[in-house]
């Protein structure tokens, strides 16, 4: 672990006025007014770049952009740092210039086309050294002129291993991150998911939970529970709870076993700070704290974990004119600063506004894997999708197969590919084992030795690693049948534990796929006020005029129709409630009749004034801000249908987003992660997975009311509220 170079010592060329780029191709003239526009037009076509107005207008224009880009030298790109909308080099871009200056100087005269040829024709060690002299923008430029086989071939050369208890990324290995998520953080269900993953040979990279409730208390509980399971099973791996970094650092201070520190990254500072409540300053502080006090101590050569994925900057409308692939590469330049144990790419997670089809998702994943490896990162991949996109399981499987050929360090293990809490679809331990057998890969050596000892794997007479007698049998970690059945009863969307070779049995697969098909139907359900029983609503319109527009452009659903906006005047109630279908009208139909009366009664008992609830079709979460600006309550509670998960019941999942309207400059300053950013206007707390198998609506109503009381009492929400609650406890 090395020292971090102060940002003030990172030299970045002064931004220069934008200059255009022109060329003619087959008698047609093509012009691009800036490097940002050129980079966007040179990329494969994707929904997010179309939405941002950065995609090429035609295939010929794309090739014209690639021709110009191929002829630019690395020095030219170096001398033109991409700036934000205010003309400033932000901190994410600045970190990208913390590179090996000697390496860059040696290769600065290469054109992007020369750089591509060098990567394809040179020994792996030369390419790895070359990558240390590149910024993320240079890596993205090279990726944009490579085809599928070139992306795979070049990536396969580059191997970056990392070590904690296990060593991930060694030649001829394929690891997995076991993700035992549950909609209510049920410890029994998580236990069975951990047992199941370990029995399937998964989890050698990490056992990592995304918590449903991001508090210090809950995160500490989950850390200690997973640590106990790791100790009891004896599995050599490491643990992580993917709360916000601030939460994890508070857990570390309180003595919880924080072994690997997690944070999501973004490629623009505005997205990183304003949406992820993070900054380079906070990342630096986390790195220093873990180096000094991390639970793994000297056992870990690396201890940081980052998740990235193309599109968050576009989805939040804070891309600063930078295309998705380039913004993603800037994330990798930021991650490189901390020599991470793992980087997990989740391109496809957001939805159709960034990646609409299988092909868009596959190409982006191959680009991401190459760019991350070129910049020296230990890349894990999670080709994933949501049901409101057109991406399919088959597209996901094509992506993982190509990425295994390209040498990905690890994939996810989400049981049967269905995340029960985050309502998306990822790879499973079955996928991981299938790919190991196709490509003759093994888990990390430390984990393999343990798995051989418990019969999950065995060695053939020729020395090949094979599935053992206990492979796929989570019962081996339970004391008796009764304990196993008790755990099984707590796990939703568990269609069976029977297997056929490295795959789930046909009966299990058919149940899983049928439930997915049913859940996808919920995306296209229409909101019916008649199904909300006796509730009284005021209807408002968003700018999303139909379902397809709503699914493809989140900004439309977050914006009030102009006439609707004019009809809303300040009422200054304590709370304004808005109900919206979001991504599942079925969720609203099944939960609002049971939740809303109890919520209104609970708030009334507490003496909190509430405006007449609003009903909005085709709404998004950020519509709460438009409502807050118009009606000026202290707090907006948005009750909204979430994207459907992997079974019929999960398609009814709703969330409550509590958006506190920050009105005092002192509050805004306290909420901002660092100075110099745009004022914070709203802070969010959230209660997710409101449905019968998550938080039942009656119980959720009381939880939302209590959280609303806390927010109004402390005049804070989100991480700032949790910090205040932690200090007062």
């Amino acid at each position: 672990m090395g020292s971090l170079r102060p940002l003030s010592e990172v030299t970045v060329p002064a931004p220069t006025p934008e200059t255009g780029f022109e060329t003619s191709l087959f008698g047609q003239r093509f012009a691009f007014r800036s490097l940002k526009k050129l980079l966007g037009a040179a990329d494969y076509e994707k929904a997010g770049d179309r939405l941002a107005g950065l995609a090429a207008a035609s295939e010929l224009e794309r090739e014209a952009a690639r021709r110009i880009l191929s002829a630019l030298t690395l020095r030219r790109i170096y001398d033109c740092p991409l700036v934000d909308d205010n003309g400033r080099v932000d901190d994410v871009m600045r970190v990208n210039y913390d590179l090996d200056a000697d390496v860059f100087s040696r290769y600065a005269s290469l054109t992007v086309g020369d750089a591509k040829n060098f990567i394809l024709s040179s020994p792996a060690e030369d390419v790895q050294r070359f990558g240390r002299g590149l910024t993320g923008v240079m890596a993205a430029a090279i990726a944009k002129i490579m085809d599928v086989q070139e992306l795979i071939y070049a990536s396969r050369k580059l191997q970056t291993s990392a070590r904690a208890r296990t060593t991930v990324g060694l030649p001829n290995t394929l690891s997995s991150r076991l993700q035992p998520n549950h909609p209510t953080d049920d410890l029994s269900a998580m236990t069975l998911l951990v047992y199941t993953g370990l029995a399937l040979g998964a989890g050698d990279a990490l056992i990592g939970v995304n918590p449903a409730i991001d508090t210090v208390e809950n995160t500490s509980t989950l850390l200690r529970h997973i640590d106990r399971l790791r100790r009891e099973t004896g599995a050599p791996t490491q643990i992580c709870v993917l709360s916000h970094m601030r939460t994890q650092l508070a857990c570390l201070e309180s003595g919880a076993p924080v072994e690997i520190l997690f944070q999501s990254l973004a490629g623009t500072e505005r997205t990183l700070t304003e949406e992820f409540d993070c900054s380079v300053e906070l990342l630096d502080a986390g790195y220093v704290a873990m180096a000094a006090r991390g639970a793994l101590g000297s056992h870990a050569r690396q201890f940081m974990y980052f998740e990235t994925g193309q599109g968050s900057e576009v989805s939040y409308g804070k891309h600063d004119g930078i295309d998705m692939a380039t913004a993603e590469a800037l994330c990798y330049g930021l991650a490189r600063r901390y020599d991470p144990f793992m980087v997990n790419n989740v391109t496809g997670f957001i939805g159709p506004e960034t990646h609409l089809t299988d092909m868009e998702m596959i190409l982006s994943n191959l680009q991401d894997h190459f760019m991350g490896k070129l910049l020296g990162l230990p890349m894990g991949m999670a080709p994933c999708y949501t049901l409101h996109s057109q991406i399919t399981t088959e597209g996901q499987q094509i992506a993982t197969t190509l990425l295994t050929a390209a040498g990905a360090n690890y994939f996810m293990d989400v049981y049967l590919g269905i995340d029960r809490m985050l309502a998306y679809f990822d790879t499973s331990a079955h996928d991981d084992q299938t790919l190991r057998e196709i490509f003759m890969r093994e888990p990390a050596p430390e984990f393999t030795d343990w798995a051989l000892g418990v019969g999950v794997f065995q060695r053939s007479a020729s020395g090949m690693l094979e599935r053992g007698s206990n492979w796929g049998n989570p019962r081996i970690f339970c004391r008796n049948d009764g304990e196993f059945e008790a755990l099984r009863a707590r796990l939703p969307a568990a269609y069976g534990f029977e297997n056929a070779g490295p795959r789930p049995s046909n009966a299990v697969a058919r149940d899983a796929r049928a439930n997915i098909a049913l859940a996808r139907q919920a995306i296209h359900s229409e909101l019916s006020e008649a199904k909300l029983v006796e509730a009284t609503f005021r209807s408002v319109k968003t700018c999303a005029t139909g379902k397809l527009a709503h699914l493809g452009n989140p900004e439309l659903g977050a914006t009030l129709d102009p006439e609707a906006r004019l009809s809303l005047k300040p009422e200054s109630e304590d709370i304004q409630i808005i109900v919206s279908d979001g991504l599942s009208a079925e969720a609203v139909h099944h939960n609002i009749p049971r939740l809303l009366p109890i919520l209104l009664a609970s708030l009334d008992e507490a003496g909190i004034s509430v405006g007449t609830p609003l009903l909005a079709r085709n709404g998004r979460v950020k519509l709460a801000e438009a409502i807050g600006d118009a009606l000026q309550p202290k707090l907006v509670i948005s009750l909204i249908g979430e994207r459907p998960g992997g079974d019929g019941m999960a398609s009814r999942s709703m969330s409550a987003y509590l958006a506190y309207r920050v009105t005092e400059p002192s509050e805004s300053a306290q909420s901002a992660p660092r100075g110099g950013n745009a004022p914070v206007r709203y802070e969010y707390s959230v209660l997710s997975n409101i449905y019968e198998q998550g938080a039942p609506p009656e119980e959720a109503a009381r939880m939302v009311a209590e959280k609303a009381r806390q927010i109004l009492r402390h005049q804070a929400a989100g991480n700032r509220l949790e910090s205040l609650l932690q200090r007062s406890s």
Side-chain angles (χ1 to χ4, degrees):
M1 58 193 74
S3 59
L4 300 175
R5 187 180 181 186
L7 280 188
S8 60
E9 296 180 8
V10 178
T11 301
V12 182
T16 57
E18 292 187 347
T19 57
F21 303 89
E22 296 185 14
T23 191
S24 293
L25 199 56
F26 301 111
Q28 297 185 43
R29 179 180 171 273
F30 298 93
F32 308 91
R33 70 171 183 264
S34 66
L35 181 58
K36 288 180 183 178
K37 289 290 187 181
L38 180 68
L39 287 163
D43 206 355
Y44 294 105
E45 186 174 352
K46 304 163 191 172
D49 292 334
R50 291 194 297 271
L51 185 62
L54 295 168
S58 67
E59 188 172 350
L60 190 60
E61 183 178 71
R62 184 175 304 112
E63 286 306 318
R66 288 172 173 170
R67 178 167 295 204
I68 297 172
L69 189 60
S70 296
L72 295 186
T73 64
L74 300 181
R75 168 65 69 182
R76 177 75 181 276
I77 295 175
Y78 180 94
D79 288 341
C80 297
L82 306 184
V83 297
D84 66 16
D85 287 348
N86 295 316
R88 169 178 168 265
V89 174
D90 72 17
D91 281 355
V92 175
M93 183 65 63
R94 183 169 296 277
V95 168
N96 270 259
Y97 280 80
D98 187 11
L99 44 71
D100 189 319
D102 292 336
V103 172
F104 172 71
S105 295
R106 179 178 176 183
Y107 295 105
S109 63
L110 290 183
T111 66
V112 173
D114 292 336
K116 169 187 160 181
N117 292 338
F118 174 83
I119 290 168
L120 294 173
S121 60
S122 300
E125 57 270 22
D126 291 348
V127 179
Q128 288 176 313
R129 182 168 54 252
F130 174 65
R132 294 197 290 270
L134 302 180
T135 66
V137 178
M138 297 174 200
I142 297 167
K144 290 169 187 291
I145 63 169
M146 299 181 85
D147 64 26
V148 167
Q149 291 187 343
E150 288 165 349
L151 290 167
I152 294 171
Y153 177 76
S155 298
R156 190 70 186 91
K157 286 186 177 187
L158 303 171
Q159 292 186 315
T160 303
S161 65
R163 190 187 74 228
R165 284 195 185 90
T166 56
T167 307
V168 177
L170 293 172
N172 301 314
T173 63
L174 178 61
S175 297
S176 66
R177 193 209 109 179
L178 201 168
Q179 181 168 289
N181 291 352
H182 185 272
T184 62
D185 292 335
D186 184 287
L187 298 183
S188 294
M190 288 182 175
T191 296
L192 182 54
L193 288 170
V194 170
Y195 289 168
T196 302
L198 293 175
L200 291 165
D204 57 322
L206 187 81
I207 301 176
V209 175
N210 298 88
I213 303 171
D214 189 337
T215 63
V216 174
E217 179 183 9
N218 189 54
T219 299
S220 295
T221 297
L222 294 176
L223 282 166
R224 292 190 169 94
H225 181 70
I226 301 169
D227 184 58
R228 179 179 65 79
L229 296 178
R230 181 192 63 78
R231 294 175 185 275
E232 289 178 354
T233 61
T237 186
Q238 31 286 322
I239 66 169
C240 180
V241 174
L242 284 72
S243 303
H244 192 276
M245 181 177 281
R246 298 178 190 276
T247 307
Q248 295 167 81
L249 290 175
C251 292
L252 179 66
E253 290 297 323
S254 69
V258 180
E259 296 185 345
I260 302 292
L261 185 67
F262 165 82
Q263 180 58 43
S264 293
L265 298 184
T268 65
E269 185 182 334
R270 285 203 301 154
T271 310
L272 183 68
T273 59
E274 296 170 23
E275 301 299 338
F276 295 172
D277 190 19
C278 188
S279 65
V280 175
E281 181 182 7
L282 178 60
L283 293 166
D284 285 359
Y287 178 87
V288 170
M290 287 295 291
R293 301 186 299 280
L296 279 175
S298 60
H299 292 290
R301 190 175 71 208
Q302 288 91 8
F303 43 77
M304 302 291 279
Y305 169 24
F306 300 118
E307 281 195 355
T308 68
Q310 287 191 30
S312 61
E313 303 83 6
V314 169
S315 184
Y316 288 116
K318 295 175 180 175
H319 54 84
D320 290 328
I322 300 172
D323 67 271
M324 293 197 301
T326 303
E328 179 69 4
L330 290 169
C331 291
Y332 302 147
L334 174 58
R336 178 173 61 181
R337 177 174 175 86
Y338 306 101
D339 185 25
F341 175 66
M342 52 199 294
V343 175
N344 190 48
N345 173 277
V346 294
T347 289
F349 178 82
I350 295 174
E353 65 264 34
T354 64
H355 294 86
L356 179 63
T357 65
D358 285 328
M359 185 61 75
E360 292 180 5
M361 180 271 293
I362 292 167
L363 290 170
S364 288
N365 271 272
L366 291 173
Q367 286 181 322
D368 296 347
H369 182 242
F370 165 73
M371 294 186 299
K373 279 190 153 186
L374 182 60
L375 293 177
L377 297 177
M379 291 298 295
M381 300 302 296
C384 50
Y385 66 96
T386 64
L387 294 183
H388 62 306
S389 73
Q390 296 173 17
I391 301 172
T392 64
T393 301
E394 289 71 28
Q396 180 190 62
Q397 290 178 342
I398 292 169
T400 54
T401 304
L402 295 175
L403 288 162
T404 307
N409 278 13
Y410 67 90
F411 295 116
M412 300 293 286
D413 166 30
V414 176
Y415 182 57
L416 297 179
I418 303 164
D419 191 291
R420 290 145 184 78
M421 195 275 283
L422 294 175
Y424 82 114
F425 298 84
D426 212 319
T427 54
S428 69
H430 291 97
D431 299 328
D432 217 61
Q433 183 59 28
T434 302
L435 292 165
R436 284 174 181 159
E437 296 188 25
I438 292 172
F439 288 94
M440 300 180 68
R441 304 278 193 268
E442 296 188 1
E446 303 89 347
F447 186 91
T448 298
D449 290 343
W450 167 81
L452 286 167
V454 296
V456 169
F457 291 120
Q458 64 186 17
R459 292 280 182 196
S460 68
S462 63
M464 294 293 296
L465 190 69
E466 300 175 338
R467 283 171 278 115
S469 59
N470 285 329
W471 187 87
N473 179 17
R475 167 67 179 81
I476 63 173
F477 300 113
C478 296
R479 290 183 294 266
N480 52 57
D481 290 342
E483 178 184 343
F484 176 70
E485 291 303 326
L487 294 177
R488 186 170 179 171
R490 302 296 292 270
L491 182 63
Y495 303 116
F497 296 88
E498 300 78 23
N499 302 299
R503 306 298 299 165
S505 72
N506 184 62
V508 172
R510 296 280 64 76
D511 280 348
R513 295 296 289 269
N515 274 272
I516 290 172
L518 177 63
R520 201 184 280 266
Q521 286 185 0
I523 293 288
H524 301 284
S525 58
E526 295 292 342
L527 184 61
S528 169
E529 189 170 352
K531 294 183 178 180
L532 303 182
V533 196
E534 298 177 357
T536 300
F537 293 99
R538 296 177 287 174
S539 293
V540 292
K541 287 184 178 181
T542 71
C543 288
T545 55
K547 187 68 69 175
L548 291 179
H550 168 58
L551 296 178
N553 187 345
E555 186 175 349
L556 297 176
T559 307
L560 282 169
D561 173 84
E563 288 188 12
R565 174 64 182 86
L566 289 174
S567 71
L568 299 177
K569 306 298 181 184
E571 298 176 357
S572 302
E573 303 283 4
D574 292 328
I575 290 177
Q576 178 60 54
I577 295 172
I578 178 168
V579 175
S580 182
D581 49 0
L583 297 177
S584 174
E586 291 302 311
V588 172
H589 297 156
H590 283 88
N591 291 290
I592 288 298
R594 296 165 58 186
L595 181 147
L596 188 57
I598 297 174
L599 174 59
L600 290 171
S602 298
L603 295 174
D604 183 61
E605 288 176 13
I608 297 171
S609 63
V610 182
T612 302
L614 297 171
L615 185 68
R617 289 175 172 80
N618 299 323
R620 293 279 188 156
V621 171
K622 289 296 181 82
L623 182 63
E625 298 185 12
I627 296 297
D629 292 345
L631 296 179
Q632 297 182 15
K634 296 175 183 176
L635 176 67
V636 179
I637 299 178
S638 177
L639 304 173
I640 190 166
E642 290 287 14
R643 57 193 189 190
D647 67 359
M649 289 295 290
S651 68
R652 302 174 180 179
S653 179
M654 190 180 77
S655 287
Y657 290 86
L658 293 88
Y660 172 67
R661 196 165 64 89
V662 178
T663 57
E664 297 297 327
S666 59
E667 295 174 352
S668 180
Q670 292 170 28
S671 182
R674 66 182 297 277
N677 295 296
V680 174
R681 299 176 57 248
Y682 287 85
E683 295 175 323
Y684 284 84
S685 294
V686 61
L687 174 64
S688 58
N689 291 288
I690 300 172
Y691 73 113
E692 200 57 51
Q693 292 184 345
E698 295 85 357
E699 177 185 340
R702 288 181 277 271
M703 295 169 67
V704 172
E706 175 58 27
K707 183 59 68 176
R709 285 193 289 268
Q710 291 176 342
I711 290 171
L712 294 176
R713 183 184 313 127
H714 292 277
Q715 298 180 46
N719 287 326
R720 191 161 65 90
L721 173 65
E722 297 307 323
S723 296
L724 292 171
L725 293 174
Q726 180 70 15
R727 288 201 294 268
S728 63
S729 63

